[in-house]
Amino acid sequence: MRQRPLGRGAPPVSVVGYGGMHLSIAGRPPEDVAVRVIHAGLDAGMTLIDTADVYCLDQNDVGHNERLIARALGTWGGPRDRVLIATKGGMIRPDGRWERDARPERLRRACERSLQALKVDRIDLYQLHAPDHQVPFEDSVGALVELQREGKIRWIGLSNVSVAEIKAAEAIGEVATVQNRLNPFFREAIETGVVRYCGERGIGFLAYSPTGGGRLTKKLPAHPVLQRLSSELGFSPHALVLAWVLAQGPSVLAIPSARTEAHVRDSAVAGDLTLSDADRWAISEAHFDRS
Ligand SMILES: NC(=O)c1ccc[n+]([C@@H]2O[C@H](COP(=O)([O-])OP(=O)(O)OC[C@H]3O[C@@H](n4cnc5c(N)ncnc54)[C@H](OP(=O)(O)O)[C@@H]3O)[C@@H](O)[C@H]2O)c1
């Protein structure tokens, strides 16, 4: 599969990585199925897996997705050292709710727990899941810089941030990646200049919910432009949308999730799919209804 650098100072990875979230939140498949889905992604050439400590059901299940990934990597027959793992800290799941908690001491504890769950001595990419507005942003980023100095994490990433926040973080440490939402329904990462800024700085832009997320993804097969392109080009609407996302900037990577082997394989197909200017433009100009 096509490769691009994971981010500033980091080596190339597959342009389509695997997002683990749906293997661990409500509606998740049995663990044996989940392991097979991860293996299918790796076998299809994915060399990046995105996870988070909070991809789980609630506070009693924290680390579920990270443990699953460790299990899948431990039982995979391929070259483990070619696969980079990106995880996140800075959120909590009290009674299943999603809340932010990016206090420095909390991030440190979360990182220690992720090291154990992933069964590694050092985390490849550790991302601040989201700025916590109860905590000075610089303090949260500062905690990641300390973890990096101590050798517990290799590269620092941010998620759900603006250009101003990326710049504020860069004043404290090197930002390797930014992970924000980007899909044809939600284009704010383009409109606010985050994708462009990342491209200019060599910061990897990890597009999350790249096909719209659980609910909106289901609308893709009925979209008239995607239907037309799909029958002309012979690719699924899902793969066409991933190719559109990857075309939005030189440092963009996509991390779609999937709960089936067929879905993860179809995502991987997009890694070698380059749209013509006309086809890319047709998707850019089309309306994607979010209702
Ligand atoms: N940083 C953040 O705040 C944040 C927030 C959200 C997500 N993320 C990351 O981004 C990843 C992806 O986000 P997401 O899950 O919200 O959105 P997504 O990848 O856009 O959508 C996932 C949905 O797409 C479906 N799908 C996958 N391949 C398909 C195919 N070939 N045909 C039809 N449907 C297909 C999946 O269905 P099945 O499940 O049935 O296979 C799943 O329901 C997550 O795993 C996580 O790593 C990060």
Side-chain angles (χ1 to χ4, degrees):
M1 195 191 308
R2 246 183 326 149
Q3 312 260 308
R4 280 179 181 168
L6 169 64
R8 232 178 134 75
V13 291
S14 57
V15 289
V16 178
Y18 179 69
M21 186 172 76
H22 283 276
L23 297 181
S24 294
I25 61 173
R28 66 196 192 188
E31 289 201 7
D32 286 351
V33 173
V35 166
R36 284 204 294 276
V37 171
I38 298 170
H39 285 175
L42 296 170
D43 289 339
M46 293 181 177
T47 58
L48 170 66
I49 301 181
D50 180 71
T51 180
D53 56 349
V54 289
Y55 293 166
C56 62
L57 298 177
D58 59 26
Q59 73 272 22
N60 300 315
D61 188 42
V62 169
H64 179 274
N65 201 244
E66 295 172 320
R67 290 190 293 275
L68 199 57
I69 288 163
R71 182 179 152 195
L73 286 169
T75 54
W76 184 51
R80 160 69 183 94
D81 54 351
R82 285 205 211 136
V83 182
L84 295 182
I85 307 298
T87 192
K88 318 182 189 77
M91 293 194 81
I92 52 174
R93 299 296 308 279
D95 299 323
R97 296 189 305 279
W98 298 83
E99 292 180 5
R100 300 178 186 205
D101 185 349
R103 288 173 286 175
E105 66 278 15
R106 160 84 210 170
L107 281 167
R108 173 168 289 278
R109 272 208 309 279
C111 179
E112 298 285 357
R113 209 158 45 175
S114 290
L115 283 162
Q116 281 181 12
L118 288 167
K119 296 199 170 111
V120 293
D121 298 328
R122 184 173 63 165
I123 290 167
D124 297 320
L125 177 66
Y126 197 66
Q127 306 158 98
L128 176 64
H129 206 144
D132 176 350
H133 302 299
Q134 309 296 317
V135 179
F137 182 61
E138 287 74 8
D139 291 1
S140 301
V141 176
L144 267 50
V145 172
E146 264 184 40
L147 290 166
Q148 188 182 41
R149 280 202 197 108
E150 292 166 18
K152 293 187 169 150
I153 69 177
R154 197 158 169 202
W155 299 291
I156 293 172
L158 306 172
S159 184
N160 297 298
V161 286
S162 64
V163 171
E165 286 165 334
I166 303 169
K167 288 180 178 171
E170 285 182 297
I172 303 169
E174 184 163 67
V175 176
T177 63
V178 165
Q179 179 176 149
N180 282 8
R181 180 173 58 186
L182 173 57
N183 58 56
F185 300 93
F186 289 100
R187 307 179 186 197
E188 69 276 6
I190 299 169
E191 290 150 8
T192 60
V194 173
V195 172
R196 190 180 57 240
Y197 184 75
C198 288
E200 286 165 3
R201 299 278 299 146
I203 295 172
F205 180 90
L206 277 57
Y208 81 66
S209 302
T211 61
R215 183 179 68 86
L216 293 174
T217 293
K218 294 191 180 65
K219 288 176 165 257
L220 299 181
H223 193 282
V225 171
L226 296 176
Q227 272 184 351
R228 174 177 68 75
L229 292 176
S230 186
S231 62
E232 279 174 20
L233 303 173
F235 293 100
S236 72
H238 184 87
L240 291 167
V241 164
L242 288 174
W244 178 86
V245 166
L246 292 170
Q248 299 310 310
S251 72
V252 177
L253 305 164
I255 47 166
S257 196
R259 283 171 300 183
T260 69
E261 295 175 60
H263 280 172
V264 75
R265 286 195 195 104
D266 188 47
S267 295
V269 165
D272 287 315
L273 169 57
T274 304
L275 297 174
S276 69
D277 289 349
D279 294 344
R280 196 180 66 238
W281 185 245
I283 298 175
S284 294
E285 288 297 289
H287 175 64
F288 284 79
D289 181 7
R290 306 203 294 236
S291 61

